[in-house]
Structures are given as structure tokens and as C-alpha cells.
Amino acid sequence: MKKINKKSLLSVFVLLLFTTLFSQESLTKFNTSWTSVLPGSALCEPENTSYGFCLATDARNIMGYSSTGTLLWEKNIGRVRNLSLTALKGDFILLHDKDKNIIRLFNPSGSEIWSKPLDFNVSSKPLEGRDGRFFINGEKTVVCFGINGIQRWKLETEYQKELPMQELPDGSIVVFLNDEGGKTRGLRISPFGEELENITFTGVIKTAYTCKDGILLTFTDGSAGLFGLKDGLAESQWVANVQSGNSIFAVNRDKTEYRLLALSKAGITVYKLRSSDGFVEESKTVNEIDGTALIKAELSDSGLFLADSNKALLIDYEYKELWYAVMPVNLRNNTINQFTYLHNDYLVFCSKNWTMDAYHTNDSKSVLKSIHSDYSSFAPIDLVEINYYTQAGFFNALKDPSITSKIKEGNFGKKESQWLTQTLSLARLYFMDATTSNFGTHTEKSVFETDSAGFETVLIQLALLCTDQTQAAAASIISESTSKLYCRTLLANITGYDPDGKLLDAIERNVSRSGSSDSVYLNTVCDAVYSICLFMGRPAYNKKGKDILKTFMGAGYSFKTRSYARDTLKKIMALEL
């Protein structure tokens, strides 16, 4: 028998050990993608944004980071110990101070825009709406706020089940009420606070998730299904043809993809369901993760990320393993207090010792495909009802100045749908009248010419309503109208909310033809530009705003205009974006 050399045996052992240790990555401080030091301990889970994430610490600050670990901004928020963060459309951040029961809105650069007290205890994470509005619910309450801080409506309900609100494809929301007779009940509410339907589900709901097709539900009996709309009414669309037992859904951030996850001690079975009928198109069991100890399940553009306290993995949409690792020891010994999985596949851990470590799981580009539309089914534009030559229809009622006061006061509820329909319709008619030389068949003057004071009142209401649609309508008028009166009315009353940059584009076009002699009008333009830069809090907006103001520095403008524009420019520069 050949004698085995001890050195050879040792080499084989080291090789086997090396292979075992490095066949799967262990997440340690030595192989991070990046590491950063926080000024304090993270108070809640970091919130995903388009640029990366934001978080708040017990050092009295809120910060925005890129996914690669660059600190983009940092702002003081005072002493807040118990809070939650919600990222809204456009990277606005809603902070709920749970101790003081106050909500605070921060723009994308972390500057606080407004704060409002709540008179009820919040039950779940706020639900984002489609036009800057968002919804918050409590034990027996649902409220809706606009991006400008106005409470649009408040609705008292029966006792609610501890489930987050969800949205149906038409923009209506569903609040889940307490179980009765072994079944969960629900209340469907319009985005304008009108009760639409009382709903009784087929069983006791355990979890609920919004997707592009409706609301995905799992039940305590192990079934799962889709609840949606048919002919304008809410009803069950399908029940998945699989008994998934203990299950949840994973839904991607733009709500276009979802997977049903059946959780067990032996692993997690992932089901791809056909959206039309819930038929199982594909399935795969992941044995590496303990489904009963699952702590994170995220569906990204790359695929499905799953993690328990010991292991984490990322599989693509064809179930190919892209990344697999052993979780940090610090997670198991409770020295990590928060962690999150970013949209572009970074895994970020925040430790109690104020360090933040991130690991890149996959190279991908995260692209948000928005499925949100408007609320046109609840507030449709109507170009027929009003005869804008004779002031027939709703014009006389709408130009009532008391409506302006009601909008400013808030809590106008379902009246908003009527006001939106009417103001948007008039704005559209005026735009058509202003941009088409032969619009209409009448030779007499329209109300836009005969009743400028009345239409001015309507434009104030349009600006104060502050939705995506009203801001776009205001931008269209500012861009094309030759009436300084109407443009000045809009510029003086718009909130700085400019979700797609249309307002700044319109102002730039308006300036090019407004002349240089009307200093009062140009001062109004300066104020509007500043309000947009302040509200939106983005470098691109600031650059464009500064370029517009620099136009007024030319020799053709008066000393008063140049001075006012210069002072406004300094205010924008002080925003430090």
C-alpha cells in the first residue's frame, strides 16, 4: 500500500476547506460593495427612492443616499424617536412622527415643505394616490391629503382590520373592515371620499397587495386570488388553482409583475400565475431559504430576492440563481437593526454601531414603468355641457368666489370631482380658443373675453386644486396664452408642485414673448420660478429656474426687474442644490 504524504494530505484538506468556504459568499465587512458611517442609529427601515434610498437616525437627521453609498443630502428634523417614512411619487418623503402624531412632507432634497397634525392613530403605511394625493387610515378613519398639504377629505368608517389600504385599477381604494361571520368585509371609496361599495370577501383575508390588475389577496384557509373590477363594480377575478398554504405575494414596484410564494420550513415554492385566470404557468421550489423564517421578499427588475436570517439569494424570472450568500453574523446577533433591498439590487444593512454596509447582488438598471393614470373615470373633462359663448352650463356657478375659500379650507370631499371636471373643461376650452384661430362657429365673443373676472376666479381655483392634471392645464395656458392677466393669475396662485417640469417649460416659453417693460408681471414670474424650485427640490429644476431668471439680467430690462431677478436668483442658490 502506497504511503500518503502528509504534506499532500494537508494540501487536499486546505483545498477542500477553501472550496467549501468560497462556494458561497459570506457577507462580511471585508467584501462590502461600500461602507458608510451614519451619525446615529437608523430609526426605521430605509425607504427606496429613484436615486437610492433615504433614512432617518436618532441623531435628529434625515438623509438621502445614492445606491452606491454617496450621501446626497442631509437635513435636521429635530428630536424624533418613533417614526415611519413613505416615499411618494417624485421622491417626496412623508414622515410620520408617531409620538407627536404629526405628518411632515419633505421634498426630494430633504427640505421640509409642510407639517400637519393628525387627530387619530395611524394603522398602516400611507397609500400613494395618482396625482400627488395620498391616503392615511386609522382605526375608524380614512383621510386624503394633497401634495400641497390640504386635507381633501375625511371619512369615518366601521372598525378596520389591521391591513393596509389597497388601490383598484380605476383609482378607487379599498379599506378592509373587521371580520364578520368568518369573512372579511371591505369598503370601496372613490379618490374623492365617496363611499362606493360595501364588499364581503369569500373568507378571512391574511395579506393584501396592489397590482396592475387589482388587489392580490391571501386567505387564512391557504387560498389566494385576485380581486378587481368588472363593469365598474368590484368582484373576485379568480382564485389560484393551487393550495399554497402559508403564502404571500411578492409584487414589483411598478405593480406589473407578481409571484405567489408558498412558505414552508423546507423552502419556498414560487408560482407564476396567469393574470387572466390564476392558472399556474411555472413553479420552482427554493430549498435554500427557510420559508417560516423569511425576513425579506422583494421582486426587482432582476428577479426575486429572498432572505432569512442565515441566507439570501436572488433568482431571475427563469429561476436561475444569480447570487447566493450567507447573511452577516451581525444580523443574527441583533447588532443590525435595519436593512433593505434596493430597486437596483443593492442589499443595505444599518448597524447599531452606526455603520452601514452594502452588497451588490446583481448588475442591473432599474427602470420604473408607471401604470398610474389619472382619475378621469371619476372626473371626466366635459366640453359639451357648457356653451362658453352664452355662459350657459356650469360657468356661472363655478365663478363663485366662495369656492376658492372652500378649496383653501379643505375637506371638500366629493365636490372636488365636480370642480376638477369643470375647471379642467374650461381650461381646455380656453386653450383651444387661444390656439385655434377658427375655433368654434360663432362670431360673438366668448366668456373668456366678456367675463375676464369670472374666468380669472376659475383659474385661481384651477391653480389651488393642485393635481397633476390641473398643473398640466395651467402649464398649457401659460405656454400659449397671450393674456398677461390670465397668465399672471395662474403664476401668482400655483403651488410649486411641477411633477413633470411642464410648468417651468411653459414659463420659459412665456418669458420669451412677454416683453421687458411690465416689471410687475416679471416679478410674478420670478416668484413662480422660485416657488417651483423650492417645492421640487431638484438640481435640474434649479438650473432651469436660474437660466430663466438670468434672462431678466439683460440690458433691455429695467433696474427694478434686474434687481428683483437677482435677489430671486440668490434665494434659489441658497437652496444649495
Side-chain angles (χ1 to χ4, degrees), residues 202-203 217-219 221-227 236-244 249 260 273-280:
T202 56
L217 302 171
T218 66
F219 295 86
D221 65 0
S223 62
L226 176 71
F227 187 79
S236 175
Q237 304 298 297
W238 48 256
V239 175
N241 63 336
V242 57
Q243 280 296 113
S244 52
F249 277 98
L260 178 64
L273 305 177
R274 192 160 58 199
S275 61
S276 60
D277 58 7
F279 178 79
V280 176

Side-chain angles (χ1 to χ4, degrees), residues 95-285:
L95 183 153
H96 178 214
D97 183 337
K98 298 180 181 179
D99 294 327
K100 296 180 180 178
N101 205 20
I102 294 173
I103 55 172
R104 303 165 63 181
L105 188 74
F106 296 82
N107 71 13
S109 65
S111 296
E112 185 171 347
I113 300 173
W114 52 257
S115 65
K116 300 287 179 179
L118 299 176
D119 59 2
F120 62 93
N121 293 324
V122 176
S123 297
S124 60
K125 197 176 182 71
L127 175 67
E128 180 186 25
R130 300 185 176 186
D131 59 1
R133 75 187 61 215
F134 56 90
F135 310 94
I136 305 176
N137 67 322
E139 186 181 50
K140 296 178 64 177
T141 306
V142 185
V143 297
C144 174
F145 281 90
I147 195 72
N148 55 358
I150 292 178
Q151 183 173 294
R152 303 176 105 81
W153 52 263
K154 180 178 182 179
L155 185 66
E156 297 298 328
T157 71
E158 297 180 45
Y159 283 103
Q160 297 173 27
K161 190 179 177 77
E162 289 189 7
L163 282 173
M165 295 174 290
Q166 303 298 326
E167 184 187 57
L168 287 165
D170 66 345
S172 59
I173 62 173
V174 173
V175 175
F176 300 96
L177 306 177
N178 277 352
D179 303 331
E180 188 175 278
K183 296 181 179 181
T184 298
R185 297 172 301 125
L187 176 63
R188 180 178 167 225
I189 307 168
S190 84
F192 305 111
E194 185 176 7
E195 295 185 30
L196 299 175
E197 288 184 82
N198 289 301
I199 305 165
T200 300
F201 297 93
T202 56
V204 176
I205 297 174
K206 187 173 64 172
T207 62
Y209 315 80
T210 295
C211 72
K212 65 180 179 62
D213 302 314
I215 302 173
L216 298 163
L217 302 171
T218 66
F219 295 86
T220 54
D221 65 0
S223 62
L226 176 71
F227 187 79
L229 291 172
K230 184 177 181 181
D231 299 325
L233 297 175
E235 66 175 40
S236 175
Q237 304 298 297
W238 48 256
V239 175
N241 63 336
V242 57
Q243 280 296 113
S244 52
N246 182 23
S247 63
I248 61 172
F249 277 98
V251 185
N252 69 343
R253 65 170 175 155
D254 58 23
K255 316 301 183 186
T256 57
E257 291 282 349
Y258 51 85
R259 297 292 184 270
L260 178 64
L261 312 180
L263 313 178
S264 69
K265 182 73 175 177
I268 300 173
T269 302
V270 183
Y271 296 98
K272 180 182 180 182
L273 305 177
R274 192 160 58 199
S275 61
S276 60
D277 58 7
F279 178 79
V280 176
E281 295 184 317
E282 296 177 272
S283 66
K284 166 75 174 179
T285 298

Side-chain angles (χ1 to χ4, degrees), residues 298-313:
E298 298 285 347
L299 200 59
S300 71
D301 289 347
S302 295
L304 179 63
F305 174 82
L306 299 169
D308 59 23
S309 60
N310 294 303
K311 292 160 289 187
L313 83 160

